[in-house]
């Protein structure tokens, strides 16, 4: 972590509460914040949580966030100044409980935001998703109409509307970060880039979909910095707004396979369409337009996908 990043973390208003700290992005951010300060607390549904190995026990709170009384007690006792919300359900193909998707991604958020407003929390930053755009995720601005294409997409876009209302109409200092395809340490091994690394070390490739399927892959450190920058830079004119968090570059499955072949010196080309296309795989590019985040928050991705 460079000195500028460390300085920014130190400048955040605390205590800091990371909800969903046992998830991929949440755990990385939680640990980054803890390296610079001790007044950072993270929640996990159940312990032990493998991503939180080595984190001081006093900073990890086991809480069922879908129980209203538990959340109320947590917030009133901890009195956080900054709340970063990574809680979501339905992003993975195996998370198919529709009722839980809506309870986690919408109902919980309504209760949480009302509580945070009541307790006068300084800042709330929510982890949104490029899935809010549905099939219009190729370079949309944040003002592009959201055309949901799944229950997950519906719920994430609904909560972005809730945040917009809370910021613009109620004056709550909050924002929604539409993350594109984050990758890096602590990611699920079944995900594409970890699978390419694991199989590349063995001398092969994982099952791959159509080589033209593409995403905007953003490194985890850059995604985490976006939350820090938002907590520091959010001005009244931007309360409630959404920001695209990505590199602005689209990378196809074919390009990633070529990178893997070169990196691991594989002696055979990849075989594509060895994995069934999933419902969210389209041949359209998924690419962020991060201009608003750069202009309003001073944030931009630092890491090149090949570095």
């Amino acid at each position: 972590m460079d000195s500028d990043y460390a300085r920014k973390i130190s400048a955040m208003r605390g205590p800091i509460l990371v909800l969903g700290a046992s998830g991929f992005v949440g755990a990385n951010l939680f640990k980054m914040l803890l390296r610079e300060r001790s007044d950072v607390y993270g929640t996990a549904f159940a312990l032990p949580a493998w991503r939180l190995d080595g984190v001081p026990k006093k900073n990890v709170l086991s809480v069922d966030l879908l129980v209203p009384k538990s959340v109320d007690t947590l917030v009133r006792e901890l009195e956080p100044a900054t709340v970063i919300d990574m809680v979501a359900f339905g992003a993975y193909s195996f998370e198919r409980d529709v009722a839980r998707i809506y309870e986690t991604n919408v109902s919980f958020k309504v209760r949480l935001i009302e509580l945070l407003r009541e307790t006068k929390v300084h800042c709330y930053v929510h982890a949104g998703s490029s899935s809010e755009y549905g099939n219009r995720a190729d370079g949309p601005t944040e003002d592009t109409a959201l055309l949901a294409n799944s229950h997950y997409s519906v719920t994430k876009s609904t909560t972005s509307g809730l945040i917009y209302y809370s910021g613009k109409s109620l004056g709550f200092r909050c924002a929604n970060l539409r993350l594109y395809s984050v990758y890096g340490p602590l990611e699920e091994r079944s995900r594409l880039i970890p699978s390419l690394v694991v199989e590349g070390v063995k001398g092969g490739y994982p099952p791959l979909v159509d080589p033209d399927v593409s995403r905007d892959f953003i490194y985890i450190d850059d995604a985490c910095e976006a939350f820090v920058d938002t907590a520091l830079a959010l001005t009244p004119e931007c309360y409630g707004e959404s920001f695209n968090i990505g590199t602005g570059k689209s990378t196809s499955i074919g390009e990633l396979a070529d990178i893997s072949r070169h990196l691991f010196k594989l002696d055979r080309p990849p075989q594509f369409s060895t994995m069934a296309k999933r419902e969210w795989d389209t041949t359209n590019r998924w690419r962020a337009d991060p201009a608003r985040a750069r202009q309003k928050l001073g944030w931009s991705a630092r890491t090149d996908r090949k570095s």
Side-chain angles (χ1 to χ4, degrees):
M1 183 183 301
D2 63 35
S3 58
D4 180 58
Y5 201 167
R7 176 191 59 77
K8 289 193 291 187
I9 290 174
S10 298
M12 295 174 69
R13 185 136 356 148
I16 301 170
L17 176 60
V18 180
L19 299 174
S22 60
F24 164 45
V25 180
N28 275 278
L29 178 61
F30 184 35
K31 290 182 172 183
M32 287 179 182
L33 296 175
L34 274 172
R35 291 188 196 113
E36 301 303 320
R37 53 193 299 167
S38 60
D39 63 338
V40 184
Y41 302 88
T43 68
F45 176 71
L47 295 174
W50 67 272
R51 290 188 177 97
L52 300 182
D53 286 348
V55 174
K57 291 183 179 180
K58 67 182 181 66
N59 296 93
V60 182
L61 309 170
S62 179
V63 183
D64 184 348
L65 295 172
L66 297 187
V67 177
K69 186 176 180 179
S70 298
V71 180
D72 188 86
T73 300
L74 170 67
V75 171
R76 294 185 189 280
E77 291 186 353
L78 188 60
E79 297 183 333
T82 301
V83 176
I84 298 175
D85 183 3
M86 301 288 186
V87 178
F89 186 80
Y92 294 98
S93 59
F94 56 83
E95 295 177 334
R96 295 185 175 274
D97 185 334
V98 174
R100 187 176 173 189
I101 291 174
Y102 282 84
E103 174 65 16
T104 303
N105 299 348
V106 179
S107 299
F108 163 65
K109 310 296 180 177
V110 174
R111 295 193 299 267
L112 176 65
I113 289 175
E114 288 301 300
L115 175 62
L116 299 183
R117 288 181 55 241
E118 180 185 338
T119 53
K120 302 187 185 306
V121 164
H122 172 65
C123 186
Y124 169 72
V125 187
H126 178 259
S129 170
S130 59
S131 294
E132 294 171 37
Y133 294 112
N135 288 329
R136 305 181 72 177
D138 181 16
T141 68
E142 289 82 352
D143 297 323
T144 297
L146 306 179
L147 300 180
N149 62 356
S150 68
H151 286 297
Y152 180 73
S153 176
V154 169
T155 57
K156 297 299 282 187
S157 59
T158 297
T159 296
S160 72
L162 169 66
I163 291 169
Y164 184 87
Y165 165 69
S166 300
K168 297 299 184 187
S169 298
L170 303 179
F172 183 46
R173 191 170 189 263
C174 58
N176 180 53
L177 303 189
R178 289 177 178 151
L179 303 178
Y180 275 69
S181 295
V182 186
Y183 72 96
L186 303 182
E187 189 175 5
E188 288 283 351
R189 183 171 174 172
S190 62
R191 303 285 284 179
L192 174 62
I193 291 182
S195 294
L196 283 168
V197 172
V198 169
E199 295 304 320
V201 169
K202 297 178 182 178
Y205 305 90
L208 297 168
V209 296
D210 187 319
D212 292 330
V213 168
S214 68
R215 295 290 183 267
D216 185 333
F217 292 94
I218 176 171
Y219 189 58
I220 183 64
D221 287 3
D222 295 330
C224 289
E225 188 169 17
F227 287 90
V228 175
D229 287 348
T230 303
L232 292 175
L234 199 61
T235 58
E237 68 180 68
C238 293
Y239 287 7
E241 293 193 1
S242 291
F243 297 90
N244 292 329
I245 304 301
T247 66
K249 301 176 183 177
S250 182
T251 304
S252 70
I253 302 297
E255 290 173 312
L256 283 175
D258 284 342
I259 292 172
S260 180
R261 184 180 186 183
H262 173 77
L263 181 64
F264 296 106
K265 298 180 172 56
L266 304 178
D267 59 5
R268 60 184 175 86
Q271 299 295 309
F272 297 101
S273 299
T274 56
M275 177 180 180
K277 182 177 282 192
R278 300 154 299 182
E279 61 182 349
W280 59 86
D281 286 325
T282 71
T283 55
N284 296 326
R285 292 187 302 169
W286 282 39
R287 174 179 55 86
D289 178 353
R292 178 181 288 181
R294 183 171 58 250
Q295 295 164 2
K296 302 294 186 180
L297 306 176
W299 175 89
S300 60
R302 305 189 193 197
T303 309
D304 184 86
R305 66 179 184 270
K306 297 180 183 178
S307 63

PDB file of all heavy atoms in Angstrom, residues 3 30 59 74 81-83 108 134 138 140 154 162 187-188 217 227 229 236 241-242 253 257 284 292:
ATOM      1  N   SER A   3       1.916   5.369   0.256  1.00  0.00           N
ATOM      2  CA  SER A   3       1.689   6.322   1.337  1.00  0.00           C
ATOM      3  C   SER A   3       0.431   7.156   1.115  1.00  0.00           C
ATOM      4  O   SER A   3      -0.247   7.544   2.072  1.00  0.00           O
ATOM      5  CB  SER A   3       2.906   7.237   1.476  1.00  0.00           C
ATOM      6  OG  SER A   3       3.163   7.927   0.252  1.00  0.00           O
ATOM      7  N   PHE A  30     -11.632  -4.648   4.347  1.00  0.00           N
ATOM      8  CA  PHE A  30     -11.533  -4.728   5.807  1.00  0.00           C
ATOM      9  C   PHE A  30     -10.075  -4.833   6.247  1.00  0.00           C
ATOM     10  O   PHE A  30      -9.606  -4.088   7.127  1.00  0.00           O
ATOM     11  CB  PHE A  30     -12.351  -5.930   6.273  1.00  0.00           C
ATOM     12  CG  PHE A  30     -12.452  -6.114   7.756  1.00  0.00           C
ATOM     13  CD1 PHE A  30     -12.524  -5.042   8.627  1.00  0.00           C
ATOM     14  CD2 PHE A  30     -12.497  -7.401   8.285  1.00  0.00           C
ATOM     15  CE1 PHE A  30     -12.636  -5.234  10.002  1.00  0.00           C
ATOM     16  CE2 PHE A  30     -12.624  -7.602   9.654  1.00  0.00           C
ATOM     17  CZ  PHE A  30     -12.686  -6.520  10.515  1.00  0.00           C
ATOM     18  N   ASN A  59     -12.167  -7.243  16.336  1.00  0.00           N
ATOM     19  CA  ASN A  59     -12.628  -6.441  15.205  1.00  0.00           C
ATOM     20  C   ASN A  59     -13.656  -7.155  14.346  1.00  0.00           C
ATOM     21  O   ASN A  59     -14.219  -6.556  13.427  1.00  0.00           O
ATOM     22  CB  ASN A  59     -11.449  -6.018  14.327  1.00  0.00           C
ATOM     23  CG  ASN A  59     -10.480  -5.108  15.050  1.00  0.00           C
ATOM     24  OD1 ASN A  59      -9.503  -5.579  15.631  1.00  0.00           O
ATOM     25  ND2 ASN A  59     -10.757  -3.814  15.028  1.00  0.00           N
ATOM     26  N   LEU A  74     -26.249  -3.523  16.919  1.00  0.00           N
ATOM     27  CA  LEU A  74     -24.891  -3.330  16.394  1.00  0.00           C
ATOM     28  C   LEU A  74     -24.596  -1.858  16.149  1.00  0.00           C
ATOM     29  O   LEU A  74     -23.570  -1.319  16.603  1.00  0.00           O
ATOM     30  CB  LEU A  74     -24.741  -4.117  15.087  1.00  0.00           C
ATOM     31  CG  LEU A  74     -23.476  -3.856  14.263  1.00  0.00           C
ATOM     32  CD1 LEU A  74     -22.245  -4.351  14.997  1.00  0.00           C
ATOM     33  CD2 LEU A  74     -23.589  -4.521  12.885  1.00  0.00           C
ATOM     34  N   ALA A  81     -19.155   5.957  12.248  1.00  0.00           N
ATOM     35  CA  ALA A  81     -19.281   7.195  11.477  1.00  0.00           C
ATOM     36  C   ALA A  81     -19.355   6.887   9.991  1.00  0.00           C
ATOM     37  O   ALA A  81     -20.040   7.576   9.234  1.00  0.00           O
ATOM     38  CB  ALA A  81     -18.111   8.125  11.766  1.00  0.00           C
ATOM     39  N   THR A  82     -18.644   5.845   9.583  1.00  0.00           N
ATOM     40  CA  THR A  82     -18.622   5.422   8.182  1.00  0.00           C
ATOM     41  C   THR A  82     -19.074   3.973   8.091  1.00  0.00           C
ATOM     42  O   THR A  82     -18.537   3.109   8.794  1.00  0.00           O
ATOM     43  CB  THR A  82     -17.205   5.557   7.589  1.00  0.00           C
ATOM     44  OG1 THR A  82     -16.769   6.912   7.690  1.00  0.00           O
ATOM     45  CG2 THR A  82     -17.194   5.118   6.122  1.00  0.00           C
ATOM     46  N   VAL A  83     -20.051   3.712   7.239  1.00  0.00           N
ATOM     47  CA  VAL A  83     -20.546   2.355   7.030  1.00  0.00           C
ATOM     48  C   VAL A  83     -20.366   1.988   5.563  1.00  0.00           C
ATOM     49  O   VAL A  83     -20.842   2.709   4.676  1.00  0.00           O
ATOM     50  CB  VAL A  83     -22.028   2.219   7.432  1.00  0.00           C
ATOM     51  CG1 VAL A  83     -22.543   0.820   7.101  1.00  0.00           C
ATOM     52  CG2 VAL A  83     -22.211   2.515   8.918  1.00  0.00           C
ATOM     53  N   PHE A 108     -33.549  -5.468   3.611  1.00  0.00           N
ATOM     54  CA  PHE A 108     -32.500  -5.161   4.579  1.00  0.00           C
ATOM     55  C   PHE A 108     -31.942  -3.762   4.368  1.00  0.00           C
ATOM     56  O   PHE A 108     -31.690  -3.025   5.327  1.00  0.00           O
ATOM     57  CB  PHE A 108     -31.381  -6.202   4.483  1.00  0.00           C
ATOM     58  CG  PHE A 108     -30.089  -5.768   5.122  1.00  0.00           C
ATOM     59  CD1 PHE A 108     -30.003  -5.561   6.490  1.00  0.00           C
ATOM     60  CD2 PHE A 108     -28.952  -5.554   4.348  1.00  0.00           C
ATOM     61  CE1 PHE A 108     -28.807  -5.140   7.074  1.00  0.00           C
ATOM     62  CE2 PHE A 108     -27.759  -5.149   4.915  1.00  0.00           C
ATOM     63  CZ  PHE A 108     -27.685  -4.938   6.287  1.00  0.00           C
ATOM     64  N   GLY A 134     -28.370  -4.585 -16.567  1.00  0.00           N
ATOM     65  CA  GLY A 134     -28.871  -5.698 -17.362  1.00  0.00           C
ATOM     66  C   GLY A 134     -27.966  -5.931 -18.560  1.00  0.00           C
ATOM     67  O   GLY A 134     -26.745  -6.047 -18.411  1.00  0.00           O
ATOM     68  N   ASP A 138     -22.390  -2.180 -21.622  1.00  0.00           N
ATOM     69  CA  ASP A 138     -21.247  -1.821 -22.465  1.00  0.00           C
ATOM     70  C   ASP A 138     -21.090  -0.305 -22.507  1.00  0.00           C
ATOM     71  O   ASP A 138     -21.653   0.387 -23.345  1.00  0.00           O
ATOM     72  CB  ASP A 138     -21.450  -2.366 -23.885  1.00  0.00           C
ATOM     73  CG  ASP A 138     -20.257  -2.033 -24.788  1.00  0.00           C
ATOM     74  OD1 ASP A 138     -19.187  -1.674 -24.256  1.00  0.00           O
ATOM     75  OD2 ASP A 138     -20.409  -2.122 -26.015  1.00  0.00           O
ATOM     76  N   PRO A 140     -22.146   2.158 -20.343  1.00  0.00           N
ATOM     77  CA  PRO A 140     -23.236   3.082 -20.017  1.00  0.00           C
ATOM     78  C   PRO A 140     -22.758   4.173 -19.075  1.00  0.00           C
ATOM     79  O   PRO A 140     -21.832   3.981 -18.284  1.00  0.00           O
ATOM     80  CB  PRO A 140     -24.247   2.179 -19.313  1.00  0.00           C
ATOM     81  CG  PRO A 140     -23.397   1.160 -18.629  1.00  0.00           C
ATOM     82  CD  PRO A 140     -22.271   0.886 -19.602  1.00  0.00           C
ATOM     83  N   VAL A 154     -32.691  -6.862 -10.702  1.00  0.00           N
ATOM     84  CA  VAL A 154     -33.839  -6.091 -10.209  1.00  0.00           C
ATOM     85  C   VAL A 154     -33.557  -5.513  -8.831  1.00  0.00           C
ATOM     86  O   VAL A 154     -33.791  -4.327  -8.565  1.00  0.00           O
ATOM     87  CB  VAL A 154     -35.111  -6.971 -10.151  1.00  0.00           C
ATOM     88  CG1 VAL A 154     -36.220  -6.249  -9.383  1.00  0.00           C
ATOM     89  CG2 VAL A 154     -35.598  -7.310 -11.543  1.00  0.00           C
ATOM     90  N   LEU A 162     -33.251   3.523  -4.173  1.00  0.00           N
ATOM     91  CA  LEU A 162     -33.413   3.867  -2.765  1.00  0.00           C
ATOM     92  C   LEU A 162     -32.309   4.815  -2.305  1.00  0.00           C
ATOM     93  O   LEU A 162     -32.566   5.807  -1.590  1.00  0.00           O
ATOM     94  CB  LEU A 162     -33.396   2.587  -1.929  1.00  0.00           C
ATOM     95  CG  LEU A 162     -33.292   2.750  -0.410  1.00  0.00           C
ATOM     96  CD1 LEU A 162     -34.533   3.418   0.152  1.00  0.00           C
ATOM     97  CD2 LEU A 162     -33.057   1.386   0.247  1.00  0.00           C
ATOM     98  N   GLU A 187     -10.377 -14.279  -3.873  1.00  0.00           N
ATOM     99  CA  GLU A 187     -11.519 -14.554  -4.738  1.00  0.00           C
ATOM    100  C   GLU A 187     -11.830 -16.052  -4.711  1.00  0.00           C
ATOM    101  O   GLU A 187     -10.943 -16.887  -4.517  1.00  0.00           O
ATOM    102  CB  GLU A 187     -11.193 -14.130  -6.173  1.00  0.00           C
ATOM    103  CG  GLU A 187     -12.376 -14.158  -7.123  1.00  0.00           C
ATOM    104  CD  GLU A 187     -12.026 -13.623  -8.505  1.00  0.00           C
ATOM    105  OE1 GLU A 187     -10.840 -13.313  -8.742  1.00  0.00           O
ATOM    106  OE2 GLU A 187     -12.939 -13.530  -9.336  1.00  0.00           O
ATOM    107  N   GLU A 188     -13.091 -16.391  -4.901  1.00  0.00           N
ATOM    108  CA  GLU A 188     -13.490 -17.792  -4.960  1.00  0.00           C
ATOM    109  C   GLU A 188     -12.682 -18.533  -6.033  1.00  0.00           C
ATOM    110  O   GLU A 188     -12.536 -18.038  -7.158  1.00  0.00           O
ATOM    111  CB  GLU A 188     -14.975 -17.913  -5.297  1.00  0.00           C
ATOM    112  CG  GLU A 188     -15.909 -17.503  -4.168  1.00  0.00           C
ATOM    113  CD  GLU A 188     -16.018 -18.552  -3.081  1.00  0.00           C
ATOM    114  OE1 GLU A 188     -15.505 -19.672  -3.276  1.00  0.00           O
ATOM    115  OE2 GLU A 188     -16.601 -18.237  -2.028  1.00  0.00           O
ATOM    116  N   PHE A 217     -12.524  -6.180 -16.239  1.00  0.00           N
ATOM    117  CA  PHE A 217     -11.900  -6.747 -15.047  1.00  0.00           C
ATOM    118  C   PHE A 217     -11.122  -5.675 -14.296  1.00  0.00           C
ATOM    119  O   PHE A 217     -10.204  -5.061 -14.841  1.00  0.00           O
ATOM    120  CB  PHE A 217     -10.963  -7.903 -15.426  1.00  0.00           C
ATOM    121  CG  PHE A 217     -11.694  -9.107 -15.948  1.00  0.00           C
ATOM    122  CD1 PHE A 217     -11.881  -9.299 -17.312  1.00  0.00           C
ATOM    123  CD2 PHE A 217     -12.211 -10.052 -15.074  1.00  0.00           C
ATOM    124  CE1 PHE A 217     -12.562 -10.409 -17.790  1.00  0.00           C
ATOM    125  CE2 PHE A 217     -12.895 -11.169 -15.549  1.00  0.00           C
ATOM    126  CZ  PHE A 217     -13.071 -11.331 -16.911  1.00  0.00           C
ATOM    127  N   PHE A 227     -13.987   2.813  -2.603  1.00  0.00           N
ATOM    128  CA  PHE A 227     -14.801   3.011  -1.405  1.00  0.00           C
ATOM    129  C   PHE A 227     -14.182   4.061  -0.489  1.00  0.00           C
ATOM    130  O   PHE A 227     -14.889   4.892   0.103  1.00  0.00           O
ATOM    131  CB  PHE A 227     -14.976   1.684  -0.664  1.00  0.00           C
ATOM    132  CG  PHE A 227     -15.913   0.737  -1.353  1.00  0.00           C
ATOM    133  CD1 PHE A 227     -15.440  -0.174  -2.288  1.00  0.00           C
ATOM    134  CD2 PHE A 227     -17.274   0.770  -1.085  1.00  0.00           C
ATOM    135  CE1 PHE A 227     -16.306  -1.039  -2.949  1.00  0.00           C
ATOM    136  CE2 PHE A 227     -18.153  -0.086  -1.740  1.00  0.00           C
ATOM    137  CZ  PHE A 227     -17.667  -0.990  -2.686  1.00  0.00           C
ATOM    138  N   ASP A 229     -12.131   6.543  -1.439  1.00  0.00           N
ATOM    139  CA  ASP A 229     -12.259   7.841  -2.100  1.00  0.00           C
ATOM    140  C   ASP A 229     -13.679   8.389  -1.979  1.00  0.00           C
ATOM    141  O   ASP A 229     -13.880   9.592  -1.784  1.00  0.00           O
ATOM    142  CB  ASP A 229     -11.871   7.728  -3.574  1.00  0.00           C
ATOM    143  CG  ASP A 229     -10.378   7.574  -3.776  1.00  0.00           C
ATOM    144  OD1 ASP A 229      -9.618   7.785  -2.812  1.00  0.00           O
ATOM    145  OD2 ASP A 229      -9.956   7.231  -4.900  1.00  0.00           O
ATOM    146  N   PRO A 236     -22.193  17.280  -1.219  1.00  0.00           N
ATOM    147  CA  PRO A 236     -23.667  17.308  -1.220  1.00  0.00           C
ATOM    148  C   PRO A 236     -24.298  17.161  -2.594  1.00  0.00           C
ATOM    149  O   PRO A 236     -25.338  16.514  -2.734  1.00  0.00           O
ATOM    150  CB  PRO A 236     -23.984  18.656  -0.584  1.00  0.00           C
ATOM    151  CG  PRO A 236     -22.840  18.894   0.359  1.00  0.00           C
ATOM    152  CD  PRO A 236     -21.641  18.363  -0.366  1.00  0.00           C
ATOM    153  N   GLU A 241     -25.857   9.452  -5.476  1.00  0.00           N
ATOM    154  CA  GLU A 241     -25.522   9.083  -6.849  1.00  0.00           C
ATOM    155  C   GLU A 241     -24.829   7.726  -6.936  1.00  0.00           C
ATOM    156  O   GLU A 241     -24.278   7.217  -5.964  1.00  0.00           O
ATOM    157  CB  GLU A 241     -24.660  10.169  -7.490  1.00  0.00           C
ATOM    158  CG  GLU A 241     -25.410  11.470  -7.684  1.00  0.00           C
ATOM    159  CD  GLU A 241     -24.684  12.452  -8.587  1.00  0.00           C
ATOM    160  OE1 GLU A 241     -23.585  12.124  -9.087  1.00  0.00           O
ATOM    161  OE2 GLU A 241     -25.229  13.553  -8.795  1.00  0.00           O
ATOM    162  N   SER A 242     -24.883   7.159  -8.130  1.00  0.00           N
ATOM    163  CA  SER A 242     -24.161   5.928  -8.436  1.00  0.00           C
ATOM    164  C   SER A 242     -22.926   6.267  -9.250  1.00  0.00           C
ATOM    165  O   SER A 242     -22.903   7.259  -9.995  1.00  0.00           O
ATOM    166  CB  SER A 242     -25.048   4.962  -9.228  1.00  0.00           C
ATOM    167  OG  SER A 242     -26.095   4.457  -8.426  1.00  0.00           O
ATOM    168  N   ILE A 253     -12.829 -13.444 -22.957  1.00  0.00           N
ATOM    169  CA  ILE A 253     -12.345 -14.735 -22.471  1.00  0.00           C
ATOM    170  C   ILE A 253     -11.174 -15.204 -23.338  1.00  0.00           C
ATOM    171  O   ILE A 253     -10.191 -15.751 -22.838  1.00  0.00           O
ATOM    172  CB  ILE A 253     -13.472 -15.787 -22.503  1.00  0.00           C
ATOM    173  CG1 ILE A 253     -14.663 -15.339 -21.655  1.00  0.00           C
ATOM    174  CG2 ILE A 253     -12.945 -17.146 -22.051  1.00  0.00           C
ATOM    175  CD1 ILE A 253     -14.369 -15.178 -20.201  1.00  0.00           C
ATOM    176  N   ALA A 257      -7.407 -16.104 -22.015  1.00  0.00           N
ATOM    177  CA  ALA A 257      -6.810 -17.405 -22.272  1.00  0.00           C
ATOM    178  C   ALA A 257      -5.441 -17.257 -22.948  1.00  0.00           C
ATOM    179  O   ALA A 257      -4.502 -18.006 -22.642  1.00  0.00           O
ATOM    180  CB  ALA A 257      -7.737 -18.248 -23.137  1.00  0.00           C
ATOM    181  N   ASN A 284     -22.015  -9.364 -26.047  1.00  0.00           N
ATOM    182  CA  ASN A 284     -21.819  -7.931 -25.902  1.00  0.00           C
ATOM    183  C   ASN A 284     -20.724  -7.657 -24.889  1.00  0.00           C
ATOM    184  O   ASN A 284     -20.569  -8.390 -23.919  1.00  0.00           O
ATOM    185  CB  ASN A 284     -23.113  -7.255 -25.430  1.00  0.00           C
ATOM    186  CG  ASN A 284     -24.218  -7.386 -26.457  1.00  0.00           C
ATOM    187  OD1 ASN A 284     -23.964  -7.384 -27.639  1.00  0.00           O
ATOM    188  ND2 ASN A 284     -25.444  -7.510 -25.972  1.00  0.00           N
ATOM    189  N   ARG A 292     -17.457   9.615 -14.438  1.00  0.00           N
ATOM    190  CA  ARG A 292     -18.035  10.334 -13.300  1.00  0.00           C
ATOM    191  C   ARG A 292     -17.227  10.101 -12.025  1.00  0.00           C
ATOM    192  O   ARG A 292     -16.994  11.040 -11.245  1.00  0.00           O
ATOM    193  CB  ARG A 292     -19.485   9.918 -13.070  1.00  0.00           C
ATOM    194  CG  ARG A 292     -20.127  10.601 -11.866  1.00  0.00           C
ATOM    195  CD  ARG A 292     -21.570  10.171 -11.635  1.00  0.00           C
ATOM    196  NE  ARG A 292     -22.473  10.712 -12.651  1.00  0.00           N
ATOM    197  CZ  ARG A 292     -23.780  10.492 -12.661  1.00  0.00           C
ATOM    198  NH1 ARG A 292     -24.337   9.726 -11.726  1.00  0.00           N
ATOM    199  NH2 ARG A 292     -24.538  11.008 -13.604  1.00  0.00           N
TER     200      ARG A 292
END
